[in-house]
Amino acid sequence: MRSIWKGSISFGLVSIPVKVFGATENHSVSFRQVHAADGGRIRYRKVCELDEEEVPTEEITKAFEAADGTTVPLSDEDLSALPLPTARTIEILAFVPADTVDPLQLDRSYYLGADGGGAAKPYVLLREALNRSEKVAIAKLALRGRETLAMLRVVDDALALHTMLWPDEIRPATGVAPDTEVGIRDAELDLADTLMETLGDLDPGELHDEYREAVEALVAAKLEGVEPEEARERVEAGGKVIDLMAALENSVRAAREGRGEEAGAAGGEGAAGAEGEEAEGDVRELRSGKGAGKGAGKTAAGKTAARKSTAKRGEAEEEGAGKAGKKTGGSRKSTAAKKSGSAAKDSRGRRSTSGAAKKTASAKKRDRATG
C-alpha cells in the first residue's frame, strides 16, 4: 500500500514515527455520463471565468473566499508553514473507553504503520498499552488540508486511526423522532425480542454488494448481446404497517425458515411449546381488539390464576361426584337389604303356610281314624 501521510504520534514525551495508509477502498459502481443521441462522452473542463480558457491542473491553486467575496490565494507552502503542532504530528489528548465515543463522529479509517526500525518498540508499546487498558486514544492531527479529531485503536496487531468530526459538526436529532405518544405492548416487545434472537449473529464474510453484482451481470449480458435475467419480485418498502403483530410474526417465521428451522417452532417442546401456544393466543387477542383497555392481553399471572381456578372447579366436581357415588351406593345397599328382607319374610311365610297345611292333614287323618 502507498502511504498518504507521514508524521509521528506524540505519546507524552514519546515520539513514534508513522505512515498513514488508507484502510478502506470503494467498490461502488461508477457510471460515465454520455450523450444519449450518439453515446459521446460528456466531460467537464476547468475554465477560467476571466479569459474563458481551459486551465491545466498544475496551474490551479487554492484560495479562501472572504465574507465580502474577495478571494485570497493560498499556496501549499503557505498552508504547510502554519504554526500548528498537529501539522505533522498525531497529538494524543486522552485515553477513554471506546463506548464513550459517539459513532456519529467517526469519519474515515486509516492504518498506522511504523516508519523505520527505531519506531517498532514505541509502536508496540502504545499498542500493548491500549490493549491492556481496553481504551482508545483521542488525538488531533492535520490531514487533507484540515485539522481534525481522531481515534486510535488496535485492529489485529496494527494501530488504526479513525478521523472524527468535531462535536459542532454533528446535527441534533430534534424533530426526527415521532412527535406523537405511542404505546407499545409487552406482547409486541416479546415478539420483537424473539425476532432479534431468531436473526442470530452476523458473519461479515457473507455480506456482499448485491447492487454492484446485478449491475455487473447486466453489463456482461449487454456486451454478450443476450437478454438480462428477469428482476426478482421487489418487496415494497415504505408502506404503512397495517398490523404490527402480524408483521412481527411473519418476520419471525421468515427468519426461522431462512435459518433452516421449522416455521412453527416455539422454542422447545413440552412446557416451552405450551408457552408458545399461549403467546400466540395473546397475539390473536391483541389483533382482534379483544380485551382493549384494562383487560387488554391476559398476563401470565392471570392465566395461571385461571388455570388454578379451573383446577379447583375440577376438584370440587370430582369431590361432588364422589359424594353422589357414596349416596347412590348407600341407597343401592338399602334397596338390596329391603329386597332381601322381603324375600326372607316371603320364605318364612311360605314355611309357616306349609307347616299349617301339614297340621291340618294330620288332624283329618285322626278324625277319620276316630270315626
Side-chain angles (χ1 to χ4, degrees):
M1 290 189 291
R2 185 176 62 87
S3 65
I4 62 173
W5 187 89
K6 281 188 177 183
S8 61
I9 301 174
S10 175
F11 179 28
L13 298 178
V14 178
S15 181
I16 310 171
V18 293
K19 295 179 180 180
V20 177
F21 303 91
T24 62
E25 55 187 3
N26 190 352
H27 289 166
S28 62
V29 178
S30 60
F31 298 99
R32 302 292 186 186
Q33 290 187 329
V34 297
H35 188 194
D38 55 17
R41 180 83 175 272
I42 303 298
R43 297 181 183 274
Y44 292 92
R45 293 183 172 90
K46 298 176 181 179
V47 178
C48 176
E49 291 182 351
L50 298 179
D51 55 20
E52 296 185 353
E53 293 183 1
E54 187 175 351
V55 181
T57 303
E58 60 270 14
E59 295 183 11
I60 299 175
T61 186
K62 298 180 180 70
F64 182 83
E65 185 175 356
D68 59 357
T70 304
T71 56
V72 180
L74 298 172
S75 64
D76 292 339
E77 291 75 14
D78 293 334
L79 295 174
S80 61
L82 290 174
L84 287 176
T86 59
R88 285 292 170 184
T89 304
I90 302 172
E91 182 184 0
I92 294 179
L93 306 175
F95 294 89
V96 300
D99 58 4
T100 61
V101 178
D102 189 345
L104 284 175
Q105 285 189 262
L106 299 180
D107 191 10
R108 296 187 177 184
S109 302
Y110 303 90
Y111 289 129
L112 300 178
D115 188 11
K121 187 167 183 178
Y123 183 98
V124 173
L125 172 64
L126 176 58
R127 183 190 70 193
E128 296 307 312
L130 289 172
N131 271 331
R132 188 165 71 171
S133 65
E134 297 183 350
K135 292 183 177 181
V136 297
I138 302 299
K140 285 199 308 182
L141 78 154
L143 181 66
R144 297 189 180 277
R146 58 169 294 184
E147 187 177 54
T148 180
L149 287 174
M151 180 184 78
L152 276 69
R153 68 185 183 100
V154 179
V155 176
D156 296 331
D157 291 331
L159 293 175
L161 181 144
H162 304 273
T163 56
M164 300 171 60
L165 302 175
W166 295 96
D168 60 357
E169 293 179 312
I170 306 298
R171 294 175 177 176
T174 306
V176 177
D179 56 358
T180 57
E181 188 173 349
V182 179
I184 301 296
R185 300 187 180 99
D186 288 341
E188 293 169 336
L189 282 175
D190 291 341
L191 267 177
D193 290 342
T194 302
L195 176 58
M196 292 167 64
E197 293 173 0
T198 304
L199 290 175
D201 298 329
L202 178 67
D203 182 5
E206 296 180 355
L207 302 179
H208 57 279
D209 188 347
E210 296 184 10
Y211 178 77
R212 177 168 59 90
E213 292 176 355
V215 171
E216 291 174 349
L218 174 63
V219 172
K222 285 184 173 291
L223 288 174
E224 295 174 2
V226 299
E227 288 293 327
E229 294 183 5
E230 294 184 3
R232 290 176 295 180
E233 184 178 354
R234 292 183 180 180
V235 178
E236 294 295 331
K240 184 178 179 181
V241 178
I242 304 300
D243 192 334
L244 179 59
M245 300 299 291
L248 287 169
E249 279 187 306
N250 293 335
S251 299
V252 172
R253 188 177 299 109
R256 283 175 172 159
E257 290 175 353
R259 293 170 63 87
E261 300 176 8
E262 293 183 3
E269 299 179 355
E275 292 177 1
E277 292 177 0
E278 291 175 1
E280 291 179 0
D282 286 346
V283 173
R284 287 192 293 270
E285 278 189 5
L286 287 169
R287 286 209 305 271
S288 63
K290 293 179 180 179
K294 64 179 182 178
K298 291 184 179 180
T299 61
K303 291 179 181 177
T304 303
R307 286 195 292 269
K308 289 182 178 179
S309 176
T310 303
K312 288 181 178 179
R313 286 198 300 270
E315 291 175 359
E317 290 174 359
E318 289 180 1
E319 185 177 352
K323 290 180 179 179
K326 290 180 180 178
K327 290 181 179 179
T328 305
S331 61
R332 288 175 180 171
K333 290 179 180 178
S334 176
T335 304
K338 289 178 180 179
K339 289 181 179 179
S340 177
S342 299
K345 288 180 180 179
D346 293 344
S347 176
R348 286 196 297 269
R350 285 194 295 270
R351 286 196 297 270
S352 59
T353 304
S354 176
K358 289 179 179 178
K359 288 180 180 179
T360 305
S362 299
K364 287 180 177 180
K365 286 180 179 180
R366 284 195 300 270
D367 291 340
R368 283 195 297 268
T370 305

mmCIF file of all heavy atoms in Angstrom, residues 257-288:
data_model
loop_
_atom_site.group_PDB
_atom_site.id
_atom_site.type_symbol
_atom_site.label_atom_id
_atom_site.label_comp_id
_atom_site.label_asym_id
_atom_site.label_seq_id
_atom_site.Cartn_x
_atom_site.Cartn_y
_atom_site.Cartn_z
ATOM 1 N N GLU A 257 -37.317 -19.814 8.874
ATOM 2 C CA GLU A 257 -37.206 -20.589 7.640
ATOM 3 C C GLU A 257 -35.863 -20.329 6.962
ATOM 4 O O GLU A 257 -35.249 -21.241 6.412
ATOM 5 C CB GLU A 257 -38.357 -20.235 6.702
ATOM 6 C CG GLU A 257 -39.712 -20.741 7.190
ATOM 7 C CD GLU A 257 -40.850 -20.271 6.308
ATOM 8 O OE1 GLU A 257 -40.575 -19.445 5.409
ATOM 9 O OE2 GLU A 257 -41.996 -20.712 6.512
ATOM 10 N N GLY A 258 -35.401 -19.078 7.019
ATOM 11 C CA GLY A 258 -34.121 -18.754 6.414
ATOM 12 C C GLY A 258 -32.953 -19.424 7.103
ATOM 13 O O GLY A 258 -31.923 -19.691 6.483
ATOM 14 N N ARG A 259 -33.103 -19.712 8.405
ATOM 15 C CA ARG A 259 -32.049 -20.386 9.163
ATOM 16 C C ARG A 259 -32.223 -21.897 9.164
ATOM 17 O O ARG A 259 -31.515 -22.613 9.873
ATOM 18 C CB ARG A 259 -32.031 -19.869 10.605
ATOM 19 C CG ARG A 259 -31.615 -18.416 10.717
ATOM 20 C CD ARG A 259 -31.849 -17.891 12.114
ATOM 21 N NE ARG A 259 -31.040 -18.607 13.090
ATOM 22 C CZ ARG A 259 -29.796 -18.257 13.403
ATOM 23 N NH1 ARG A 259 -29.246 -17.219 12.802
ATOM 24 N NH2 ARG A 259 -29.109 -18.929 14.309
ATOM 25 N N GLY A 260 -33.219 -22.392 8.386
ATOM 26 C CA GLY A 260 -33.426 -23.830 8.296
ATOM 27 C C GLY A 260 -34.189 -24.413 9.451
ATOM 28 O O GLY A 260 -34.214 -25.628 9.648
ATOM 29 N N GLU A 261 -34.851 -23.567 10.258
ATOM 30 C CA GLU A 261 -35.643 -24.053 11.379
ATOM 31 C C GLU A 261 -37.088 -24.208 10.939
ATOM 32 O O GLU A 261 -37.521 -23.668 9.922
ATOM 33 C CB GLU A 261 -35.566 -23.083 12.558
ATOM 34 C CG GLU A 261 -34.147 -22.872 13.075
ATOM 35 C CD GLU A 261 -34.112 -21.838 14.179
ATOM 36 O OE1 GLU A 261 -35.204 -21.428 14.620
ATOM 37 O OE2 GLU A 261 -33.014 -21.446 14.594
ATOM 38 N N GLU A 262 -37.848 -24.960 11.746
ATOM 39 C CA GLU A 262 -39.266 -25.131 11.453
ATOM 40 C C GLU A 262 -39.980 -23.827 11.711
ATOM 41 O O GLU A 262 -39.763 -23.177 12.722
ATOM 42 C CB GLU A 262 -39.873 -26.241 12.309
ATOM 43 C CG GLU A 262 -39.323 -27.630 11.967
ATOM 44 C CD GLU A 262 -40.006 -28.694 12.782
ATOM 45 O OE1 GLU A 262 -40.919 -28.335 13.550
ATOM 46 O OE2 GLU A 262 -39.635 -29.868 12.663
ATOM 47 N N ALA A 263 -40.861 -23.465 10.802
ATOM 48 C CA ALA A 263 -41.551 -22.185 10.922
ATOM 49 C C ALA A 263 -42.406 -22.113 12.165
ATOM 50 O O ALA A 263 -42.578 -21.073 12.756
ATOM 51 C CB ALA A 263 -42.414 -21.932 9.678
ATOM 52 N N GLY A 264 -42.970 -23.227 12.588
ATOM 53 C CA GLY A 264 -43.872 -23.217 13.736
ATOM 54 C C GLY A 264 -43.187 -23.474 15.043
ATOM 55 O O GLY A 264 -43.846 -23.652 16.054
ATOM 56 N N ALA A 265 -41.817 -23.557 15.032
ATOM 57 C CA ALA A 265 -41.107 -23.854 16.277
ATOM 58 C C ALA A 265 -41.364 -22.762 17.281
ATOM 59 O O ALA A 265 -41.288 -21.592 16.980
ATOM 60 C CB ALA A 265 -39.614 -23.981 16.006
ATOM 61 N N ALA A 266 -41.688 -23.167 18.492
ATOM 62 C CA ALA A 266 -41.981 -22.186 19.539
ATOM 63 C C ALA A 266 -40.894 -22.150 20.574
ATOM 64 O O ALA A 266 -41.099 -21.713 21.678
ATOM 65 C CB ALA A 266 -43.324 -22.493 20.200
ATOM 66 N N GLY A 267 -39.721 -22.618 20.272
ATOM 67 C CA GLY A 267 -38.603 -22.547 21.199
ATOM 68 C C GLY A 267 -38.503 -23.735 22.103
ATOM 69 O O GLY A 267 -37.958 -23.639 23.193
ATOM 70 N N GLY A 268 -38.999 -24.898 21.728
ATOM 71 C CA GLY A 268 -38.854 -26.078 22.572
ATOM 72 C C GLY A 268 -40.117 -26.896 22.573
ATOM 73 O O GLY A 268 -41.121 -26.537 21.974
ATOM 74 N N GLU A 269 -40.074 -28.051 23.246
ATOM 75 C CA GLU A 269 -41.228 -28.915 23.327
ATOM 76 C C GLU A 269 -41.768 -28.892 24.743
ATOM 77 O O GLU A 269 -41.193 -28.322 25.653
ATOM 78 C CB GLU A 269 -40.836 -30.342 22.940
ATOM 79 C CG GLU A 269 -40.308 -30.445 21.505
ATOM 80 C CD GLU A 269 -39.891 -31.862 21.154
ATOM 81 O OE1 GLU A 269 -39.928 -32.708 22.080
ATOM 82 O OE2 GLU A 269 -39.516 -32.107 20.015
ATOM 83 N N GLY A 270 -42.887 -29.562 24.954
ATOM 84 C CA GLY A 270 -43.447 -29.680 26.296
ATOM 85 C C GLY A 270 -43.934 -28.347 26.800
ATOM 86 O O GLY A 270 -44.752 -27.679 26.185
ATOM 87 N N ALA A 271 -43.368 -27.953 27.965
ATOM 88 C CA ALA A 271 -43.805 -26.712 28.599
ATOM 89 C C ALA A 271 -43.507 -25.515 27.723
ATOM 90 O O ALA A 271 -44.301 -24.585 27.633
ATOM 91 C CB ALA A 271 -43.111 -26.550 29.959
ATOM 92 N N ALA A 272 -42.345 -25.537 27.061
ATOM 93 C CA ALA A 272 -41.993 -24.420 26.179
ATOM 94 C C ALA A 272 -42.998 -24.301 25.047
ATOM 95 O O ALA A 272 -43.396 -23.217 24.646
ATOM 96 C CB ALA A 272 -40.590 -24.605 25.623
ATOM 97 N N GLY A 273 -43.424 -25.415 24.510
ATOM 98 C CA GLY A 273 -44.417 -25.388 23.442
ATOM 99 C C GLY A 273 -45.736 -24.823 23.924
ATOM 100 O O GLY A 273 -46.409 -24.085 23.218
ATOM 101 N N ALA A 274 -46.124 -25.184 25.165
ATOM 102 C CA ALA A 274 -47.363 -24.644 25.725
ATOM 103 C C ALA A 274 -47.267 -23.136 25.869
ATOM 104 O O ALA A 274 -48.215 -22.413 25.580
ATOM 105 C CB ALA A 274 -47.653 -25.292 27.089
ATOM 106 N N GLU A 275 -46.088 -22.650 26.325
ATOM 107 C CA GLU A 275 -45.917 -21.213 26.459
ATOM 108 C C GLU A 275 -46.033 -20.538 25.095
ATOM 109 O O GLU A 275 -46.583 -19.458 24.956
ATOM 110 C CB GLU A 275 -44.565 -20.911 27.092
ATOM 111 C CG GLU A 275 -44.484 -21.342 28.546
ATOM 112 C CD GLU A 275 -43.103 -21.083 29.125
ATOM 113 O OE1 GLU A 275 -42.257 -20.560 28.372
ATOM 114 O OE2 GLU A 275 -42.887 -21.394 30.297
ATOM 115 N N GLY A 276 -45.465 -21.189 24.058
ATOM 116 C CA GLY A 276 -45.547 -20.626 22.711
ATOM 117 C C GLY A 276 -46.991 -20.513 22.256
ATOM 118 O O GLY A 276 -47.396 -19.530 21.648
ATOM 119 N N GLU A 277 -47.818 -21.554 22.555
ATOM 120 C CA GLU A 277 -49.228 -21.506 22.176
ATOM 121 C C GLU A 277 -49.937 -20.385 22.900
ATOM 122 O O GLU A 277 -50.772 -19.686 22.335
ATOM 123 C CB GLU A 277 -49.887 -22.846 22.474
ATOM 124 C CG GLU A 277 -49.376 -23.987 21.580
ATOM 125 C CD GLU A 277 -49.998 -25.309 21.964
ATOM 126 O OE1 GLU A 277 -50.810 -25.293 22.908
ATOM 127 O OE2 GLU A 277 -49.678 -26.327 21.345
ATOM 128 N N GLU A 278 -49.606 -20.202 24.199
ATOM 129 C CA GLU A 278 -50.237 -19.119 24.953
ATOM 130 C C GLU A 278 -49.851 -17.773 24.367
ATOM 131 O O GLU A 278 -50.672 -16.864 24.264
ATOM 132 C CB GLU A 278 -49.834 -19.201 26.421
ATOM 133 C CG GLU A 278 -50.427 -20.409 27.144
ATOM 134 C CD GLU A 278 -49.902 -20.520 28.561
ATOM 135 O OE1 GLU A 278 -49.120 -19.649 28.947
ATOM 136 O OE2 GLU A 278 -50.272 -21.468 29.253
ATOM 137 N N ALA A 279 -48.581 -17.632 23.988
ATOM 138 C CA ALA A 279 -48.132 -16.371 23.401
ATOM 139 C C ALA A 279 -48.872 -16.087 22.099
ATOM 140 O O ALA A 279 -49.287 -14.960 21.843
ATOM 141 C CB ALA A 279 -46.624 -16.401 23.143
ATOM 142 N N GLU A 280 -49.066 -17.132 21.269
ATOM 143 C CA GLU A 280 -49.803 -16.933 20.036
ATOM 144 C C GLU A 280 -51.247 -16.546 20.324
ATOM 145 O O GLU A 280 -51.846 -15.753 19.606
ATOM 146 C CB GLU A 280 -49.749 -18.208 19.185
ATOM 147 C CG GLU A 280 -48.357 -18.486 18.627
ATOM 148 C CD GLU A 280 -48.327 -19.763 17.816
ATOM 149 O OE1 GLU A 280 -49.400 -20.403 17.701
ATOM 150 O OE2 GLU A 280 -47.255 -20.115 17.309
ATOM 151 N N GLY A 281 -51.806 -17.107 21.407
ATOM 152 C CA GLY A 281 -53.155 -16.720 21.795
ATOM 153 C C GLY A 281 -53.227 -15.254 22.166
ATOM 154 O O GLY A 281 -54.167 -14.549 21.823
ATOM 155 N N ASP A 282 -52.191 -14.781 22.897
ATOM 156 C CA ASP A 282 -52.133 -13.360 23.240
ATOM 157 C C ASP A 282 -52.096 -12.504 21.983
ATOM 158 O O ASP A 282 -52.766 -11.476 21.883
ATOM 159 C CB ASP A 282 -50.879 -13.068 24.082
ATOM 160 C CG ASP A 282 -51.039 -13.583 25.501
ATOM 161 O OD1 ASP A 282 -52.185 -13.893 25.866
ATOM 162 O OD2 ASP A 282 -50.029 -13.663 26.217
ATOM 163 N N VAL A 283 -51.298 -12.915 21.023
ATOM 164 C CA VAL A 283 -51.173 -12.152 19.786
ATOM 165 C C VAL A 283 -52.509 -12.078 19.071
ATOM 166 O O VAL A 283 -52.929 -11.031 18.591
ATOM 167 C CB VAL A 283 -50.098 -12.795 18.877
ATOM 168 C CG1 VAL A 283 -50.102 -12.104 17.519
ATOM 169 C CG2 VAL A 283 -48.743 -12.684 19.522
ATOM 170 N N ARG A 284 -53.226 -13.233 19.007
ATOM 171 C CA ARG A 284 -54.526 -13.233 18.337
ATOM 172 C C ARG A 284 -55.500 -12.317 19.046
ATOM 173 O O ARG A 284 -56.294 -11.625 18.420
ATOM 174 C CB ARG A 284 -55.071 -14.661 18.254
ATOM 175 C CG ARG A 284 -54.329 -15.519 17.223
ATOM 176 C CD ARG A 284 -55.089 -16.807 16.963
ATOM 177 N NE ARG A 284 -55.093 -17.670 18.133
ATOM 178 C CZ ARG A 284 -54.157 -18.579 18.369
ATOM 179 N NH1 ARG A 284 -53.145 -18.719 17.543
ATOM 180 N NH2 ARG A 284 -54.218 -19.347 19.445
ATOM 181 N N GLU A 285 -55.456 -12.328 20.402
ATOM 182 C CA GLU A 285 -56.348 -11.460 21.156
ATOM 183 C C GLU A 285 -56.051 -9.999 20.868
ATOM 184 O O GLU A 285 -56.940 -9.184 20.685
ATOM 185 C CB GLU A 285 -56.202 -11.727 22.658
ATOM 186 C CG GLU A 285 -57.006 -12.927 23.124
ATOM 187 C CD GLU A 285 -57.002 -13.026 24.630
ATOM 188 O OE1 GLU A 285 -56.465 -12.117 25.274
ATOM 189 O OE2 GLU A 285 -57.531 -14.007 25.158
ATOM 190 N N LEU A 286 -54.744 -9.644 20.837
ATOM 191 C CA LEU A 286 -54.376 -8.262 20.593
ATOM 192 C C LEU A 286 -54.806 -7.809 19.203
ATOM 193 O O LEU A 286 -55.261 -6.699 19.004
ATOM 194 C CB LEU A 286 -52.864 -8.094 20.747
ATOM 195 C CG LEU A 286 -52.358 -8.153 22.193
ATOM 196 C CD1 LEU A 286 -50.843 -8.248 22.193
ATOM 197 C CD2 LEU A 286 -52.800 -6.921 22.968
ATOM 198 N N ARG A 287 -54.639 -8.705 18.205
ATOM 199 C CA ARG A 287 -55.001 -8.336 16.848
ATOM 200 C C ARG A 287 -56.508 -8.176 16.691
ATOM 201 O O ARG A 287 -56.989 -7.348 15.942
ATOM 202 C CB ARG A 287 -54.488 -9.385 15.858
ATOM 203 C CG ARG A 287 -52.998 -9.306 15.641
ATOM 204 C CD ARG A 287 -52.676 -9.792 14.244
ATOM 205 N NE ARG A 287 -53.216 -11.134 13.997
ATOM 206 C CZ ARG A 287 -52.564 -12.244 14.268
ATOM 207 N NH1 ARG A 287 -51.355 -12.193 14.798
ATOM 208 N NH2 ARG A 287 -53.095 -13.417 14.011
ATOM 209 N N SER A 288 -57.279 -9.012 17.384
ATOM 210 C CA SER A 288 -58.735 -8.944 17.237
ATOM 211 C C SER A 288 -59.333 -7.776 18.005
ATOM 212 O O SER A 288 -60.492 -7.464 17.861
ATOM 213 C CB SER A 288 -59.363 -10.259 17.725
ATOM 214 O OG SER A 288 -59.101 -10.444 19.107
#
